[in-house]
C-alpha cells in the first residue's frame, strides 16, 4: 500500500494523506460520490500499475475520476507527470512526438486506457521534477514549465491558507485540469480534505448548476470569459445558498466587473477573490482580499503567503513605485523544458520575472498597469496597448489591440463598434486614421487557459495588412500552404484563433458559412475532399493548388441548394413548371445536419451546434413572417410560430406557404432534444450509418402510417409526413462505403416513388439526393460558382421573401419576377448576416469557456 507521505523511497510528495480524511466525499459526480478512503485505494492500485521504475507519464487531462486518480498516483509514485488537454488530439500527438513519454493515459473509444510504451524509462529525470505543464495554455507547444514537488505543495498550501479552505468546502471543476489554475483548485482542495464536484459542463449549461446545487458545491473558479458567460446566463438570479466564495484569475477582469461581482457577493453572502498568477509560479502569486474588491477593483492585491514581490526599474516607468514585477517564493518553477534533454536539469531560477509592469501603492497593494511586450511603436510613437484596451473598455467598446505591419489593429466582436473604436484609438494616440485598422471577429481568441491569444490576433492582423480580401478572391497561383488556408478560415469564419489543427467543424462552422468557404476553397484547391469540413487545415494543404484552367470547385450540396431554390421561385412565378425543389432542400438540410451538427466533439457541443443552427433559421424566419403578418394581415399567429401544420386547415391556403420552414424547424428541435440524451448520442457515434438508416426507417414508417404511399394535397407538406426527406439526406451523408451508398440509392428509389403521384416531381427529388450521394463536386466557371454560392447561401431568405415579390410581376414579367425575388432574398440575407452571426456567437460562445 502506497503512503502519500512516504519519502523514504520517493521524492517529497505534495498532497495529503488521503486516508486521514476517511469517508469524507473526495470526488462527486452526477453518478455518485467517491470517498477519500476509496480514492486512496484507487490511487494505490494505479500507482502499482505504473510500477516502481520512475517514468515520464503523459495524462490527457479531463475533469473525470480516472485521469485525476492517475495524476495523483503518478505524483505519489514519484513519476514525472505531463498534463495535456484531453480534448485536443493534435496537442496530445504533438507532445507525444516531442517528449516520447514512457506511459500514456488517454481516453479511447472503449474508455480510459493506460498504455505503457516501455517497461523502463527512456529519460533522465531530475529527482525534484514532478510535473510538466504548458507555458500558457497553448496546445501542442513543446515549451513546458518544469515544476517540483515543493512547488506543488507550497502553492497548494498558500492557496488553502488565504482562501481558508475547509473540509466542508466543495469546489466545482469549472476549469480544465491541464490548466494550472484548474489544477490548483484540485491540489488545494485535496490538501485540505475538501470535496471536488467533477464536471466538464460550461457555466451556461443548466446541468452545471443542477449538479452544483445537488452536490452542495460551495465555490467555483473562473477566467474573464467565464464571467462574460455568467452575465449571459443570468447568474445573478440563481439561488445558490451554499456558495461561499468565487475566485477569478487567468487574465485581467475589468475593474467595473470586479466591483459588480464583489458587490453581488456582499449582498448574497459570498466572497469574491481576484487572484494573479502564472504557470511559471505553479499557479498563484497574489490575491486581492475580498474586502478590497469594491474599493480597489483594479488591483491584484498582495503576495500569497510565503511569496514576495519587488519592482525592477524599466525604461517604460519613470515612477519609482512602478516597474517590472518580480516574484520570489517556493512556488517559482525549476525552469523551462523545450526538449526531453531538459528533464534532467535542476532548478535554474530563484525568482520569476513576470513581464508585467506593476505599481506598488503605499499600503503594499500591487496593481498591474501594463506588460513589457505590450508596447508598440507606430509612426514613431511608443503606445501602451493595454492602456488602449482600458480606454476602449471605459468607452463601452471591449476590444483587443495589437500592432502589425506598422499599424495598430483593433479587434472588436460587434460590428457597430468597429468604426468608433478605430476613431477613438486614432484620437487617443494622436495618429492619423489610416494608421489604425479595425475589424470585427466572431469571438476574441483565447488560449485554453482563458487568456487573450494575442499571437493569433497578431497573425490575423498580418493577414489583413498583407493583402486585401479582393486579392485573396483572385486566388493563388502558387502551391497552397497551411497558412493560406488558415487565413481563409480566419477571415470567413471570423476565427483568428484558427490553427493548422483546426477544422471547419471544430471552429463552429455551419451550413450558412459552409457554402461560402467551400466555394473559396474550391477556388484554390486541386480538389475538395468529400469530408473536407472535418479535416484539419494541415491535411487540406496537402491536396495541392488549383490549376487556373480548370475553373473553380463547386460542392454538390451548394449546387443542389441553389438549383432547388431557383426551381421553387421559378415555379411560383410561372416561368416554368418543374416541382420538387422544396422537398429536395429538405434532403440537403438532412445532409448538412449529418455533416456539421453530428460532427461536433462532445454531446454538449452537438447540442450547442443544433441550438445555434435552429436559432439562425427560426429567428430571421419568425421576424419576417411576423412583420408581414403585422403589415399585411396575411399570416396568422399559428403560421408565425410554425404551428400551421398542426392547427391549420387541411386544404391549401396561404398559411401553408412556409411549410418547408415549419418542417425543418420542428425536425431540428426534435433532434436537438434527442441528442441531449446520452443514449442516442452514444449510439450515433458508434453506428453512424446504422442510426441514419434507423432514422430513415422511422421516417418512412411514420409516413406510411399517416398518409400511405401517395400523400394528399396538403399531407405532402406536413412535418411528420416529410421527415423521411430529411432522413434521406442524413443517410446519404453517412454512407461512406459502396455497399452503403447502394443501400441508400435503393432507399431513395423506394421512398420517393409514388409519394407525389407525379413522376416528374419524384424524379427531381430523387436526382437531387442521388447527386449528394454520388457526386462530391464538380468544376465550373468561376463566375458561375460565385453566383450559385450566393444564391445557395441566401436560399432561406429567398424562400422567406419571394412570396411578397413575385406576385406583382408573375403575369407579365415572370423572368423579372424570378430575378427580383432572388435579389430581395439576397438583400435580406446580407442585412441579416451580422445579426445571425452575432446570434451564433452568443449561443456558441460558451464553447470557449473550457479555458
Amino acid at each position: 500500500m502506497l503512503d502519500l507521505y512516504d519519502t523514504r523511497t520517493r521524492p517529497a510528495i505534495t498532497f495529503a494523506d488521503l486516508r486521514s480524511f476517511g469517508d469524507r466525499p473526495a470526488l462527486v459526480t452526477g453518478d455518485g460520490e467517491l470517498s477519500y478512503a476509496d480514492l486512496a485505494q484507487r490511487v494505490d492500485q494505479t500507482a502499482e500499475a505504473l510500477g516502481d521504475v520512475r517514468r515520464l507519464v503523459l495524462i490527457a487531462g479531463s475533469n473525470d475520476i480516472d485521469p485525476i486518480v492517475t495524476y495523483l498516483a503518478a505524483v505519489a509514485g514519484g513519476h514525472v507527470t505531463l498534463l495535456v488537454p484531453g480534448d485536443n488530439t493534435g496537442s496530445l500527438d504533438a507532445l507525444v512526438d516531442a517528449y516520447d513519454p514512457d506511459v500514456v493515459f488517454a481516453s479511447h473509444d472503449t474508455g480510459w486506457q493506460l498504455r505503457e510504451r516501455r517497461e523502463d524509462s527512456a529519460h533522465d529525470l531530475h529527482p525534484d521534477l514532478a510535473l510538466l505543464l504548458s507555458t500558457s495554455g497553448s496546445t501542442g507547444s513543446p515549451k513546458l514549465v518544469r515544476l517540483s514537488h515543493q512547488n506543488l505543495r507550497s502553492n497548494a498550501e498558500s492557496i488553502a491558507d488565504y482562501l481558508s479552505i475547509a473540509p466542508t468546502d466543495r469546489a466545482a471543476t469549472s476549469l480544465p485540469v491541464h490548466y494550472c489554475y484548474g489544477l490548483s483548485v484540485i491540489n488545494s482542495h485535496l490538501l485540505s480534505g475538501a470535496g471536488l464536484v467533477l464536471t466538464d459542463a460550461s457555466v451556461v449549461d443548466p446541468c452545471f448548476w443542477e449538479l452544483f446545487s445537488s452536490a452542495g458545491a460551495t465555490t467555483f473558479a473562473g477566467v474573464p470569459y467565464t464571467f462574460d458567460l455568467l452575465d449571459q446566463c443570468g447568474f445573478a438570479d440563481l439561488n445558490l445558498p451554499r456558495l461561499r466564495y468565487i475566485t477569478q484569475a487567468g487574465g485581467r477582469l475589468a475593474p467595473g466587473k470586479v466591483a459588480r461581482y464583489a458587490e453581488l457577493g456582499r449582498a448574497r453572502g459570498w466572497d469574491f477573490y481576484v487572484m494573479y498568477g502564472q504557470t511559471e509560479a505553479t499557479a498563484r502569486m497574489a490575491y486581492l482580499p475580498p474586502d478590497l474588491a469594491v474599493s480597489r477593483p483594479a488591483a491584484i492585491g498582495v503576495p500569497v503567503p510565503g511569496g514576495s514581490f519587488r519592482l525592477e526599474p524599466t525604461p517604460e516607468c519613470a515612477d519609482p513605485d512602478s516597474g517590472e514585477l518580480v516574484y520570489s517564493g517556493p512556488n517559482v518553477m525549476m525552469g523551462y523544458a523545450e526538449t526531453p534533454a531538459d528533464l534532467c536539469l535542476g532548478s535554474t531560477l530563484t525568482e520569476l520575472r513576470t513581464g508585467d509592469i506593476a505599481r506598488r501603492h503605499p499600503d503594499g497593494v500591487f496593481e498591474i498597469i501594463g506588460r513589457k511586450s505590450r508596447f508598440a511603436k507606430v509612426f514613431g510613437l511608443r503606445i501602451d496597448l493595454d492602456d488602449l484596451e482600458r480606454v476602449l473598455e471605459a468607452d463601452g467598446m471591449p476590444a483587443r489591440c495589437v500592432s502589425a505591419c506598422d499599424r495598430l489593429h483593433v479587434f472588436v466582436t460587434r460590428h457597430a463598434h468597429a468604426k468608433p473604436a478605430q476613431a477613438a484609438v486614432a484620437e487617443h494616440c494622436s495618429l492619423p486614421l489610416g494608421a489604425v485598422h479595425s475589424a470585427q471577429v466572431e469571438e476574441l481568441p483565447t488560449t485554453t487557459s482563458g487568456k487573450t491569444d494575442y499571437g493569433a490576433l497578431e497573425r490575423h492582423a498580418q493577414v489583413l495588412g498583407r493583402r486585401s480580401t479582393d486579392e485573396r478572391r483572385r486566388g493563388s497561383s502558387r502551391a497552397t500552404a497551411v497558412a493560406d488556408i488558415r487565413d481563409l478560415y480566419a477571415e470567413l469564419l471570423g476565427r483568428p484563433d484558427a490553427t493548422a489543427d483546426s477544422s471547419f467543424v471544430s471552429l463552429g462552422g455551419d451550413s450558412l458559412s459552409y457554402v461560402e468557404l467551400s466555394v473559396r476553397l474550391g477556388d484554390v484547391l486541386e480538389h475538395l475532399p468529400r469530408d473536407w469540413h472535418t479535416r484539419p487545415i494541415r491535411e487540406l494543404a496537402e491536396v495541392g493548388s488549383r490549376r487556373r484552367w480548370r475553373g473553380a470547385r463547386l460542392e454538390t450540396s451548394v449546387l443542389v441548394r441553389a438549383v432547388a431554390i431557383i426551381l421553387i421561385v421559378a415555379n411560383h412565378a410561372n416561368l416554368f413548371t418543374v416541382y420538387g425543389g422544396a422537398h429536395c432542400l429538405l434532403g440537403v438540410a438532412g445532409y448538412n445536419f449529418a455533416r456539421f451538427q453530428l460532427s461536433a466533439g462532445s454531446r454538449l457541443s452537438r447540442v450547442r451546434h443544433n441550438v445555434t443552427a435552429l436559432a439562425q433559421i427560426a429567428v430571421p424566419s419568425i421576424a419576417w413572417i411576423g412583420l408581414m403578418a403585422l403589415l399585411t394581415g396575411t399570416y396568422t399567429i399559428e403560421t408565425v410560430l410554425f404551428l400551421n401544420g398542426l392547427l391549420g386547415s387541411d386544404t391549401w391556403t396561404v398559411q401553408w406557404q412556409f411549410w418547408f420552414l415549419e418542417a425543418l424547424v420542428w425536425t431540428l428541435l426534435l433532434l436537438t432534444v434527442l441528442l441531449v440524451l446520452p443514449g442516442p448520442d452514444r449510439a450515433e457515434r458508434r453506428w453512424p450509418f446504422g442510426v441514419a438508416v434507423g432514422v430513415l426507417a422511422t421516417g418512412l414508417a411514420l409516413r406510411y402510417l399517416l398518409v400511405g404511399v401517395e400523400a394528399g394535397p396538403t399531407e405532402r407538406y406536413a412535418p411528420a409526413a416529410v421527415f423521411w426527406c430529411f432522413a434521406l439526406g442524413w443517410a446519404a451523408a453517412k454512407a461512406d462505403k459502396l455497399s452503403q451508398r447502394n443501400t441508400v440509392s435503393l432507399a431513395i428509389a423506394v421512398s420517393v416513388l409514388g409519394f407525389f403521384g407525379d413522376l416528374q416531381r419524384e424524379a427531381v427529388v430523387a436526382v437531387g439526393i442521388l447527386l449528394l450521394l454520388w457526386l462530391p463536386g464538380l468544376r465550373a466557371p468561376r463566375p458561375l460558382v460565385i453566383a450559385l454560392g450566393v444564391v445557395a447561401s441566401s436560399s432561406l431568405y429567398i424562400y422567406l421573401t419571394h412570396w411578397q415579390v413575385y406576385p406583382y410581376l408573375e403575369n407579365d414579367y415572370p423572368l423579372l419576377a424570378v430575378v427580383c425575388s432572388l435579389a430581395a432574398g439576397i438583400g435580406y440575407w446580407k442585412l441579416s448576416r451580422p445579426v445571425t452571426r452575432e446570434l451564433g456567437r452568443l449561443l456558441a460562445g460558451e464553447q470557449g469557456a473550457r479555458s
Side-chain angles (χ1 to χ4, degrees):
M1 182 177 67
L2 183 66
D3 185 344
L4 292 178
Y5 274 131
D6 186 0
T7 59
R8 293 171 296 177
T9 59
R10 303 290 185 195
I13 224 57
T14 58
F15 300 117
D17 181 357
L18 300 178
R19 286 182 178 77
S20 68
F21 299 115
D23 293 329
R24 293 200 61 84
L27 306 179
V28 182
T29 70
D31 298 325
E33 298 180 352
L34 189 69
S35 70
Y36 269 93
D38 292 335
L39 175 61
Q41 183 176 1
R42 289 191 58 170
V43 168
D44 286 344
Q45 292 170 348
T46 305
E48 184 176 351
L50 289 172
D52 294 329
V53 177
R54 193 163 181 254
R55 296 188 288 181
L56 177 61
V57 179
L58 183 146
I59 299 176
S62 175
N63 290 326
D64 294 318
I65 290 177
D66 289 336
I68 290 177
V69 166
T70 305
Y71 161 68
L72 295 173
V75 176
H79 303 284
V80 176
T81 304
L82 170 54
L83 271 177
V84 304
D87 58 354
N88 190 321
T89 303
S91 173
L92 189 151
D93 292 342
L95 286 169
V96 168
D97 291 341
Y99 281 89
D100 188 24
D102 304 310
V103 181
V104 174
F105 182 79
S107 178
H108 300 276
D109 293 339
T110 56
W112 292 95
Q113 293 182 3
L114 187 72
R115 181 166 62 91
E116 293 187 282
R117 305 177 77 216
R118 58 186 65 89
E119 292 185 0
D120 54 359
S121 179
H123 305 285
D124 183 5
L125 305 172
H126 191 277
D128 294 338
L129 184 60
L131 180 66
L132 298 167
L133 291 177
S134 175
T135 54
S136 58
S138 57
T139 56
S141 171
K143 186 175 183 179
L144 304 175
V145 169
R146 296 183 292 118
L147 299 174
S148 68
H149 296 277
Q150 181 189 31
N151 292 153
L152 295 177
R153 172 119 195 160
S154 63
N155 205 232
E157 286 177 337
S158 66
I159 293 170
D161 182 2
Y162 70 74
L163 291 180
S164 300
I165 299 176
T168 53
D169 280 316
R170 291 189 182 184
T173 56
S174 49
L175 298 171
V177 67
H178 68 266
Y179 170 36
C180 71
Y181 184 13
L183 185 62
S184 73
V185 173
I186 291 173
N187 291 347
S188 57
H189 281 74
L190 291 179
L191 178 78
S192 307
L196 294 169
V197 181
L198 302 184
T199 176
D200 272 323
S202 165
V203 294
V204 298
D205 291 326
C207 58
F208 177 92
W209 298 110
E210 291 170 6
L211 179 61
F212 191 94
S213 297
S214 64
T218 61
T219 180
F220 67 93
V223 297
Y225 187 62
T226 307
F227 294 90
D228 292 339
L229 298 177
L230 291 176
D231 289 343
Q232 293 176 24
C233 73
F235 169 76
D237 298 325
L238 294 178
N239 180 28
L240 303 170
R242 294 201 60 182
L243 180 61
R244 191 169 75 82
Y245 65 90
I246 299 173
T247 64
Q248 182 274 320
R252 178 180 179 272
L253 189 64
K257 189 167 287 189
V258 170
R260 177 158 58 86
Y261 273 90
E263 289 172 345
L264 178 64
R266 285 184 179 181
R268 298 293 177 83
W270 46 264
D271 291 326
F272 187 64
Y273 285 87
V274 174
M275 308 190 297
Y276 168 78
Q278 293 179 358
T279 309
E280 289 83 348
T282 309
R284 306 275 66 84
M285 290 184 280
Y287 73 100
L288 182 65
D291 59 331
L292 296 179
V294 173
S295 60
R296 309 284 288 279
I300 62 168
V302 297
V304 299
S308 62
F309 287 129
R310 69 177 181 86
L311 296 175
E312 179 78 17
T314 65
E316 294 86 2
C317 302
D319 184 352
D321 288 324
S322 299
E324 182 182 2
L325 193 64
V326 182
Y327 176 80
S328 298
N331 51 315
V332 173
M333 67 173 179
M334 299 173 67
Y336 292 111
E338 297 190 58
T339 68
D342 297 330
L343 303 185
C344 67
L345 299 178
S347 179
T348 59
L349 297 173
T350 58
E351 59 182 12
L352 177 64
R353 295 180 177 274
T354 65
D356 289 323
I357 306 298
R359 177 185 296 118
R360 180 178 52 232
H361 293 276
D363 59 357
V365 173
F366 288 81
E367 178 184 351
I368 302 297
I369 59 175
R371 183 148 182 89
K372 287 182 68 177
S373 60
R374 294 281 292 146
F375 285 84
K377 200 161 188 178
V378 179
F379 278 45
L381 299 177
R382 188 172 178 82
I383 297 170
D384 184 344
L385 299 175
D386 289 325
D387 179 62
L388 273 185
E389 293 180 0
R390 287 191 288 269
V391 169
L392 292 171
E393 189 167 2
D395 289 341
M397 296 181 289
R400 295 294 180 265
C401 303
V402 297
S403 173
C405 303
D406 297 321
R407 294 290 186 273
L408 286 180
H409 291 260
V410 183
F411 293 97
V412 296
T413 57
R414 298 186 182 275
H415 179 73
H417 290 166
K419 293 299 182 184
Q422 179 188 24
V425 169
E427 180 181 357
H428 181 77
C429 300
S430 300
L431 287 169
L433 195 63
V436 181
H437 183 280
S438 62
Q440 179 199 12
V441 293
E442 290 298 299
E443 60 183 43
L444 294 169
T446 59
T447 65
T448 56
S449 63
K451 298 179 181 179
T452 300
D453 190 346
Y454 285 107
L457 288 177
E458 287 172 1
R459 291 192 297 272
H460 195 44
Q462 289 166 1
V463 172
L464 296 174
R466 186 168 64 241
R467 56 183 179 178
S468 67
T469 300
D470 288 339
E471 288 172 335
R472 189 179 296 125
R473 283 180 177 171
R474 287 196 292 268
S476 173
S477 59
R478 59 186 172 82
T480 303
V482 170
D484 296 314
I485 301 178
R486 192 214 71 83
D487 293 346
L488 200 59
Y489 276 57
E491 176 197 347
L492 296 184
L493 299 181
R495 293 293 300 268
D497 56 331
T499 69
D501 293 315
S502 301
S503 70
F504 176 80
V505 169
S506 72
L507 292 173
D510 53 31
S511 61
L512 300 177
S513 52
Y514 170 85
V515 175
E516 185 175 7
L517 187 56
S518 68
V519 170
R520 296 279 293 278
L521 282 175
D523 197 28
V524 297
L525 290 176
E526 178 70 16
H527 71 276
L528 201 55
R530 185 185 184 94
D531 61 346
W532 72 264
H533 57 291
T534 63
R535 291 197 187 190
I537 289 172
R538 68 170 75 252
E539 286 189 19
L540 288 181
E542 297 174 0
V543 171
S545 62
R546 176 184 65 84
R547 299 173 186 172
R548 287 181 175 270
W549 56 270
R550 293 191 62 189
R553 169 82 175 187
L554 179 63
E555 277 263 325
T556 302
S557 64
V558 176
L559 173 65
V560 174
R561 190 166 160 181
V563 170
I565 192 63
I566 292 172
L567 288 179
I568 292 170
V569 177
N571 276 310
H572 292 164
N574 295 323
L575 183 61
F576 52 71
T577 304
V578 180
Y579 294 112
H583 290 81
C584 204
L585 277 181
L586 271 181
V588 174
Y591 184 78
N592 286 334
F593 169 82
R595 299 180 79 193
F596 307 136
Q597 272 64 56
L598 295 184
S599 296
S602 66
R603 176 165 55 92
L604 291 175
S605 295
R606 285 183 166 189
V607 172
R608 293 189 191 108
H609 274 69
N610 281 344
V611 170
T612 301
L614 182 59
Q616 289 179 327
I617 293 170
V619 170
S621 300
I622 291 174
W624 179 264
I625 302 170
L627 179 63
M628 292 303 103
L630 288 174
L631 294 179
T632 67
T634 304
Y635 305 115
T636 65
I637 187 64
E638 290 84 1
T639 301
V640 174
L641 299 179
F642 302 121
L643 294 171
N644 180 68
L646 180 65
L647 305 177
S649 171
D650 291 336
T651 58
W652 178 269
T653 68
V654 293
Q655 309 304 327
W656 281 96
Q657 288 178 350
F658 301 102
W659 72 266
F660 163 75
L661 293 174
E662 184 172 331
L664 183 57
V665 166
W666 284 107
T667 295
L668 291 177
L669 183 60
L670 171 65
L671 294 174
T672 300
V673 172
L674 287 177
L675 286 176
V676 170
L677 305 175
D681 178 75
R682 283 196 299 267
E684 198 285 328
R685 293 176 191 275
R686 187 169 182 181
W687 306 291
F689 182 70
V691 168
V693 171
V695 170
L696 175 57
T698 303
L700 288 173
L702 193 61
R703 163 201 159 176
Y704 291 126
L705 179 65
L706 294 175
V707 304
V709 176
E710 182 178 344
T714 56
E715 289 175 337
R716 67 187 59 162
Y717 306 125
V722 297
F723 174 70
W724 61 271
C725 296
F726 183 95
L728 272 179
W730 180 346
K734 293 299 181 181
D736 296 326
K737 301 175 182 177
L738 180 61
S739 59
Q740 293 173 344
R741 292 181 187 177
N742 288 331
T743 300
V744 175
S745 298
L746 179 61
I748 292 171
V750 170
S751 56
V752 172
L753 188 62
F755 182 71
F756 300 103
D758 179 349
L759 192 59
Q760 173 267 308
R761 178 180 278 191
E762 291 163 359
V764 168
V765 177
V767 169
I769 301 177
L770 284 170
L771 285 174
L772 295 176
L773 179 65
W774 291 101
L775 182 65
L778 50 84
R779 289 279 170 188
R782 191 171 190 278
L784 178 61
V785 171
I786 293 175
L788 290 175
V790 171
V791 172
S793 296
S794 52
S795 56
L796 165 68
Y797 301 86
I798 295 171
Y799 186 88
L800 275 171
T801 59
H802 84 286
W803 302 103
Q804 279 70 51
V805 178
Y806 78 83
Y808 298 100
L809 300 167
E810 61 175 324
N811 292 330
D812 299 321
Y813 308 103
L815 179 58
L816 182 60
V818 172
V819 173
C820 290
S821 295
L822 295 179
I826 292 170
Y828 185 33
W829 170 58
K830 290 286 187 181
L831 288 174
S832 302
R833 203 174 181 191
V835 177
T836 55
R837 280 191 169 183
E838 178 69 9
L839 179 65
R841 185 186 70 82
L842 291 175
L843 291 173
E846 63 268 20
Q847 295 175 27
R850 311 308 312 151
S851 56

